[in-house]
Amino acid sequence: MSDQPATRPQPTPVTVIGLGPMGLALAEALLKNGHPTTVWNRTPEKARDLVARGARLGASVADAVSASPLTVVCLKDYATLYDVLDPAAGALAGRALVNLNSGTPKEAHAAADWAAERGAGYLDGAIMVPPPLVGEPGAVFFYSGPPEVFDAHRATLASMGDPRLLGSDPGLAVLYNTALLGLMYATVNGFLHATALVGSAGVPAAEFADLAVNWFLPTVVDATLVEQAPDLDAGHYPGDLGTLEMNLNALEHITRTCAEQGVHAEQPGLMRAIAARAVAEGHGDSNYLAVFEVFKKAARAA
Ligand code: NAP
């Protein structure tokens, strides 16, 4: 065994295009991890602090892209990606482009085609944490696209967060992202609505929160969602411990209680309408998870 200290590979140069709150956090994390970092932003003043810490401000987008084998883009949306990168399209050939702005799977597919036409390896991505958590342990980043592009740049991507490749379909990262954001908004709204409902009787949110979370996690998340997920794949909704008809009754009580207490009733009203549709489609004797059959289809016109 050699007694020479192991030499670490030199961090790869990387370019960051877009210095909004998120792009700034990405560039900071890359600099902190020792990557020679080139940046570009429409408003160049936003690069001042990064430059003071060792980043180089590209003279143009093409100059910035040319500086590194990998360019990370974090702009407002896909339309802005094309506006900004079109003038630098020639510089992309033979390099990798990682796009971290939000959007839809269709937009991600179009961007992958756009990059392929310009000879660039393309990964689409989604950042699952707010800017202050970028670069911190547990900061999850989703990616989708060719595994060989992901593998070639995994070490650089790991400087921004924990990189997870979801698959080669470029639309998967934004699809997971929108699915999880939908879960987040539905859960937060459910909590806020429940807090408003008990608040109508003077219960403080701080008192209710602890009780709600300690009921919700073991009873709903662990015992129902995690345990019964395989049933969703199998379309198996046994109603022997409680039927959808029974749950429709509970949703009716929530909606009526909201009206009695003078609390917004549209959110439970929508859940009641969805359950009623599942019952109308023949799932009344199944358990509540049979509403999954409704969610898998496009909404019916009113
Ligand atoms: P943002 O407001 O969505 O994007 C700001 C960036 O877009 C800036 O670099 C801005 O340039 C640039 N930009 C906007 N319009 C432009 C145009 N017409 N031409 C050229 N550049 C333009 O802020 P952000 O928070 O940094 O978000 C960036 C992306 O990350 C978004 O897609 C967002 O959904 C996603 N994201 C953000 C968060 C978060 O918590 N912030 C979390 C996850 C994902 P200027 O500086 O010149 O205005």
Side-chain angles (χ1 to χ4, degrees):
M1 241 170 73
S2 158
D3 54 5
Q4 294 292 319
T7 51
R8 286 194 175 186
Q10 231 7 58
T12 314
V14 59
T15 292
V16 178
I17 306 279
L19 299 176
M22 189 50 91
L24 281 171
L26 300 174
E28 273 165 25
L30 289 161
L31 272 177
K32 214 184 274 177
N33 282 288
H35 295 271
T37 304
T38 302
V39 296
W40 185 92
N41 194 50
R42 176 181 63 176
T43 311
E45 293 75 33
K46 290 189 186 170
R48 199 181 303 132
D49 287 354
L50 291 169
V51 169
R53 267 176 274 151
R56 182 175 85 80
L57 178 63
S60 64
V61 183
D63 173 51
V65 169
S66 303
S68 315
L70 170 68
T71 291
V72 174
V73 183
C74 192
L75 293 160
K76 185 177 137 210
D77 51 25
Y78 286 85
T80 312
L81 168 85
Y82 301 128
D83 284 352
V84 168
L85 281 186
D86 257 330
L92 284 168
R95 302 179 196 279
L97 183 64
V98 170
N99 180 30
L100 293 175
N101 64 238
S102 311
T104 70
K106 207 170 170 181
E107 288 177 313
H109 278 268
D113 291 345
W114 181 92
E117 283 160 19
R118 284 149 188 85
Y122 181 84
L123 290 176
D124 210 273
I127 306 164
M128 301 310 293
V129 290
L133 296 186
V134 167
E136 297 295 319
V140 171
F141 280 52
F142 291 151
Y143 294 98
S144 49
E148 60 276 16
V149 178
F150 179 78
D151 289 339
H153 298 285
R154 185 197 289 262
T156 305
L157 301 178
S159 291
M160 300 186 290
D162 174 9
R164 312 258 180 102
L165 182 68
L166 300 173
S168 55
D169 173 347
L172 280 176
V174 290
L175 184 63
Y176 271 63
N177 178 248
T178 49
L180 289 177
L181 289 183
L183 173 63
M184 178 190 78
Y185 286 118
T187 310
V188 171
N189 275 12
F191 173 77
L192 295 176
H193 184 269
T195 306
L197 194 52
V198 294
S200 68
V203 179
E207 186 182 314
F208 180 62
D210 195 44
L211 181 148
V213 170
N214 283 312
W215 168 78
F216 185 71
L217 289 178
T219 313
V220 182
V221 176
D222 296 339
T224 305
L225 304 187
V226 174
E227 208 162 282
Q228 296 183 37
D231 283 351
L232 299 180
D233 292 325
H236 178 60
Y237 317 108
D240 43 341
L241 297 180
T243 64
L244 187 49
E245 283 281 11
M246 180 277 288
N247 280 278
L248 185 56
N249 205 21
L251 287 161
E252 182 63 36
H253 292 150
I254 300 171
T255 314
R256 278 182 26 222
T257 303
C258 291
E260 278 181 19
Q261 297 292 113
V263 169
H264 195 269
E266 282 175 37
Q267 194 164 273
L270 177 60
M271 293 190 286
R272 182 188 55 187
I274 292 163
R277 180 172 163 191
V279 169
E281 292 182 1
H283 299 291
D285 293 333
S286 301
N287 70 38
Y288 184 76
L289 297 187
V291 298
F292 187 47
E293 296 300 319
V294 173
F295 283 133
K296 285 192 284 183
K297 301 172 201 159
R300 266 198 304 229

